Amino acid sequence: MMSAGEGSGGGKGEAEGGEGEGKRLDRLPEALVCSIMSKLDVGSICSAASTCRAFRASASQIFAFIPSFHLLEIALSIDLLRRLLPPNPYLRSLKLDCERLDDSAISLLAQPALQELYVHNCSDFTGKLLCGIASNCADLRCLYLGSVAEKRSRAIHISDLGDLLSCCKQLEALVLMFDVSLISGHDFAPIWASASQKLECLEIGYVSSVMVTELLAPNLAPKSSNSLQPSILPGIQKLILSVDSITDTMVGTISSGLLSLTHLDLRDAPFMEPTIVTDLTNLGLELVNQHGKLKHLSLIRSQQYLITYFRRVNDLGLLMMADKCANLESISLGGFCRVTDSGFKTILHSCSRLYKLKVCHGTHLTDLVFHDISATSLSLIHVSLRWCYLLTNHAIGNLVSNVQIKVLDLRECKSLGDEALKAIGTLPELKTLRLDGMDISDFGLSSLRERVIKSLTSLSLRGCKRLTDRAISVLFKDASNLELQELDLSNIPSLSDEGILSLARSRVPVSELRIRQCPLIGDTSVMALASMQVDDDQRHGNCLRLLDIYNCGGITQLAYKWLKNPYFPRLRWLGIAGSVNRDIIDALARNRPFLRVTCHGEEIGPEQWDNVDGSYAQEFDEVDGIGGWLIGEGGEHVLHMLEDEDDMMLG
């Protein structure tokens, strides 16, 4: 990542060596330059604009007619947003992080031609955001609103949501990623009667189960032949809800009232132990999929606030559900503590089209579930068995008969060891492997070297206490053409600077590295990573977008000099210990204004919305481009003043 101050190379290159080339580019027809640049993403346009006057002039025009503006990894200020996002009658898709914006930006965000709008971290906005979108964006098809009005003194009124639903009649997908139960006013359910009849996907960050039941209850009421009352959300195919408690009543209302439902994802996190009235039982599972169209089912009880389970569901409940869910393609079950091998095997043997299986907190799930899996017609691609403590190496040996597995999550399966790694090492197409907390050794990891490490894009070894520095050389020494992008080596007591030096020497193109809570990691690791080059002609540390060194025992003030530019030019997220002098952190923030720095131990990284539509993947360094754009606008002298001041602060 490169902040505003890091783009000075572009301006200097233009002044020193690019003058002749810039003059040649000035001779190109402006319409041709604009046409070519309009095919680029926002970051690339800004990068081009920082190289010469011709491109800079063209970029100023392009932003007035480009069809899409996607900038998710940095949060723009209102002043910068005004410069980059002028009124644009051709803008169809807008995706922004709004962490530094408030209601004053609504007129910039709610552009009339939009069909797709994703705005995230909108905590400083009020319900006026919803009204602004309702007034200006009548053709909207997809809308994602994240964290709206979560700051104190910010609020949303029920009429704001009502305006949004009644005015945006073309909506096909709506994501309200905030707590809708805090919306002030009454009549939450009635306003949904005016929602778009085209709405197929609805996701809500938090809503009470009672509100959901009331919302869909009109669909279950008997209607006379001459009744004009419309059905509520008649076209919904995908419903994703986080609620206080999953209940039989809510599940039954959803299953009966939504005739086209193919994807149901329910997650709860009870504050107190549910009663029989406020819980899911065998009866509730029997009500699932009443119209026979369900293909994807997820029922998860989170232990975020309380260690609790679905205690009123047993094998009989899964047996009754499986009878109606033979066409399921993916199933996720979390917190079913009374379901045994019989219940889980019923799912595997009844759902012949299953490709995704996720079970977490399966306290009674054992090796027997997978004993005869090779005799089934299953072709599993995604398998997650998190916190299934009774599983042993034998289960994994049977599971890998599904050789096409691409995602395997075995986090906190503490009885698994090196023998399981031998079995995993035979999977030729594995992309994601998570082994957190497993009892594995450096020698065991060698089973992954021959085949699996070449295909992996994500590997997590967090909390594997027996691993040492040698694990790094076992996996990566002399390895070439690796695709690995995410690596988690956190909470490994014996991992030291020597291991990170080995990683840097191996030149693995990792973009996200987590080494938090490793007591032997120190300044040397930061210096090694800062100096690492993946390609000979690239800049130092060119791949890392995320670095988490929170609570690493040897990090001192010296490391912060290496976290300044020009090192780690693509860094977007940095996790560090809050015990460090706050002035140093503030100086780093000024030096890299687009870097997200967290100091309190929270997990960092791209959120779900970064790839919410499955298509957004930024290949360019948009922060480099923003920096170059600023310098092209005459901000270089200010940036140098900040750098001089921060050099004194950082030592």
Side-chain angles (χ1 to χ4, degrees):
M1 167 178 169
M2 182 174 281
S3 69
E6 296 168 65
S8 55
K12 192 178 296 183
E14 181 184 343
E16 295 177 357
E19 186 175 350
E21 184 176 346
K23 288 181 178 179
R24 290 194 295 272
L25 290 172
D26 285 337
R27 297 170 186 165
L28 290 174
E30 188 171 348
L32 175 62
V33 176
C34 288
S35 178
I36 295 173
M37 291 181 67
S38 66
K39 309 298 182 184
L40 304 176
D41 58 71
V42 174
S44 299
I45 293 173
C46 289
S47 295
S50 67
T51 61
C52 71
R53 294 183 181 89
F55 285 174
R56 189 174 305 143
S58 296
S60 298
Q61 298 184 42
I62 288 171
F63 285 126
F65 64 80
I66 57 172
S68 62
F69 189 104
H70 297 173
L71 205 57
L72 289 168
E73 293 190 342
I74 63 173
L76 300 177
S77 66
I78 184 65
D79 293 333
L80 189 51
L81 185 64
R82 286 195 182 101
R83 292 156 63 183
L84 296 179
L85 194 62
N88 180 352
Y90 305 100
L91 189 64
R92 299 291 184 267
S93 178
L94 175 61
K95 299 181 181 182
L96 280 180
D97 186 333
C98 299
E99 186 177 21
R100 301 172 66 187
L101 303 176
D102 56 23
D103 285 348
S104 63
I106 292 175
S107 61
L108 299 174
L109 302 177
Q111 302 219 17
L114 282 175
Q115 296 183 359
E116 182 182 46
L117 176 60
Y118 292 78
V119 285
H120 318 283
N121 295 326
C122 303
S123 58
D124 211 12
F125 286 80
T126 67
K128 292 180 181 179
L129 175 61
L130 281 65
C131 292
I133 295 171
S135 300
N136 298 310
C137 305
D139 291 330
L140 212 56
R141 267 64 168 177
C142 300
L143 175 61
Y144 182 113
L145 298 173
S147 307
V148 181
E150 288 189 353
K151 280 193 177 180
R152 185 175 297 180
S153 79
R154 303 295 186 266
I156 305 173
H157 191 269
I158 194 67
S159 61
D160 302 327
L161 180 58
D163 289 345
L164 179 70
L165 295 175
S166 62
C167 294
C168 297
K169 289 297 188 181
Q170 305 302 317
L171 269 181
E172 298 171 3
L174 176 61
V175 180
L176 303 175
M177 197 51 62
F178 53 89
D179 186 350
V180 302
S181 68
L182 297 179
I183 294 178
S184 58
H186 303 288
D187 300 326
F188 175 79
I191 64 172
W192 289 88
S194 62
S196 169
Q197 298 291 294
K198 299 179 180 180
L199 196 62
E200 297 179 353
C201 173
L202 175 62
E203 181 173 359
I204 299 180
Y206 180 82
V207 60
S208 73
S209 58
V210 172
M211 293 172 71
V212 176
T213 303
E214 291 176 349
L215 169 60
L216 297 175
N219 288 350
L220 307 184
K223 295 182 176 64
S224 61
S225 58
N226 60 351
S227 174
L228 298 179
Q229 181 181 356
S231 297
I232 305 296
L233 306 176
I236 288 292
Q237 299 177 20
K238 184 175 183 178
L239 184 65
I240 305 174
L241 304 174
S242 291
V243 299
D244 51 347
S245 184
I246 300 173
T247 69
D248 289 349
T249 303
M250 184 184 71
V251 169
T253 303
I254 291 172
S255 298
S256 300
L258 299 179
L259 306 182
S260 303
L261 196 64
T262 62
H263 185 129
L264 178 60
D265 186 330
L266 301 177
R267 174 183 293 267
D268 70 7
F271 287 95
M272 60 183 66
E273 190 65 40
T275 66
I276 191 170
V277 177
T278 61
D279 203 1
L280 180 67
T281 70
N282 289 340
L283 178 60
L285 286 185
E286 189 177 11
L287 299 174
V288 170
N289 199 26
Q290 295 187 37
H291 300 288
K293 299 179 181 179
L294 205 62
K295 294 183 179 180
H296 308 274
L297 175 64
S298 178
L299 299 170
I300 304 292
R301 174 149 289 173
S302 168
Q303 298 188 353
Q304 181 177 359
Y305 306 111
L306 179 71
I307 298 179
T308 183
Y309 302 89
F310 291 115
R311 303 183 188 277
R312 295 175 175 87
V313 174
N314 55 30
D315 293 340
L316 179 60
L318 261 65
L319 176 62
M320 293 188 294
M321 183 182 73
D323 287 340
K324 296 182 179 180
C325 295
N327 293 325
L328 279 183
E329 297 176 3
S330 73
I331 186 167
S332 301
L333 301 172
F336 289 84
C337 67
R338 295 186 59 200
V339 175
T340 69
D341 294 335
S342 298
F344 292 118
K345 287 188 72 172
T346 298
I347 296 295
L348 294 182
H349 287 266
S350 299
C351 305
S352 59
R353 301 179 183 179
L354 206 65
Y355 68 83
K356 181 177 180 179
L357 172 67
K358 295 182 68 175
V359 179
C360 59
H361 293 293
T363 55
H364 291 297
L365 188 149
T366 74
D367 297 352
L368 291 176
V369 172
F370 305 105
H371 176 68
D372 57 352
I373 193 171
S374 60
T376 69
S377 59
L378 292 178
S379 297
L380 294 175
I381 295 176
H382 184 137
V383 179
S384 176
L385 302 169
R386 196 175 182 188
W387 289 302
C388 296
Y389 301 120
L390 299 183
L391 288 179
T392 70
N393 298 326
H394 185 67
I396 307 306
N398 290 322
L399 179 63
V400 298
S401 62
N402 284 259
V403 295
Q404 65 281 1
I405 291 176
K406 290 182 171 60
V407 177
L408 184 58
D409 186 350
L410 301 172
R411 284 177 287 178
E412 306 306 328
C413 293
K414 298 183 181 296
S415 298
L416 300 182
D418 290 349
E419 288 298 317
L421 288 181
K422 287 184 181 179
I424 294 169
T426 64
L427 294 173
E429 301 178 29
L430 196 61
K431 294 293 184 182
T432 298
L433 180 59
R434 295 170 181 164
L435 305 175
D436 303 20
M438 283 177 48
D439 186 29
I440 55 178
S441 67
D442 298 338
F443 177 77
L445 281 180
S446 63
S447 301
L448 305 180
R449 180 177 174 84
E450 181 177 350
R451 177 180 296 180
V452 169
I453 197 63
K454 297 176 182 178
S455 64
L456 280 181
T457 59
S458 178
L459 174 63
S460 180
L461 301 170
R462 178 179 294 206
C464 295
K465 306 291 188 182
R466 293 173 57 196
L467 297 183
T468 68
D469 293 333
R470 187 170 179 272
I472 305 299
S473 58
V474 165
L475 283 174
F476 303 120
K477 186 177 181 181
D478 299 327
S480 60
N481 300 321
L482 298 185
E483 300 179 18
L484 194 66
Q485 299 173 15
E486 302 174 10
L487 180 61
D488 193 337
L489 301 171
S490 302
N491 197 20
I492 299 179
S494 298
L495 182 66
S496 70
D497 291 333
E498 186 60 38
I500 303 304
L501 283 167
S502 297
L503 181 66
R505 285 192 292 264
S506 68
R507 306 173 80 173
V508 180
V510 174
S511 59
E512 298 184 14
L513 178 62
R514 295 171 173 85
I515 49 177
R516 56 166 40 211
Q517 294 181 318
C518 292
L520 302 182
I521 295 291
D523 297 338
T524 302
S525 292
V526 176
M527 288 186 275
L529 294 170
S531 305
M532 183 174 74
Q533 287 184 317
V534 176
D535 300 315
D536 291 331
D537 58 345
Q538 296 292 319
R539 294 166 295 181
H540 296 297
N542 65 89
C543 280
L544 276 178
R545 297 166 60 246
L546 179 152
L547 178 61
D548 192 349
I549 51 175
Y550 172 75
N551 208 24
C552 287
I555 300 295
T556 71
Q557 183 171 329
L558 176 62
Y560 288 82
K561 294 188 66 174
W562 292 87
L563 292 169
K564 291 181 57 182
N565 56 52
Y567 302 106
F568 300 106
R570 294 191 177 186
L571 200 63
R572 271 82 160 160
W573 292 273
L574 175 65
I576 53 179
S579 58
V580 176
N581 188 303
R582 185 68 212 185
D583 291 337
I584 296 177
I585 297 175
D586 290 341
L588 182 62
R590 289 194 299 272
N591 180 262
R592 312 189 74 150
F594 297 120
L595 177 65
R596 297 175 185 271
V597 181
T598 62
C599 310
H600 304 294
E602 57 267 53
E603 295 289 344
I604 59 174
E607 299 181 32
Q608 183 179 6
W609 51 259
D610 268 9
N611 198 26
V612 70
D613 63 350
S615 63
Y616 178 73
Q618 182 63 281
E619 297 293 340
F620 300 93
D621 196 349
E622 61 264 23
V623 183
D624 287 2
I626 299 294
W629 181 277
L630 287 173
I631 290 185
E633 294 289 325
E636 188 169 7
H637 66 286
V638 177
L639 298 171
H640 285 323
M641 289 174 62
L642 286 174
E643 287 183 359
D644 292 342
E645 177 184 340
D646 292 338
D647 282 338
M648 297 176 62
M649 182 67 67
L650 294 172

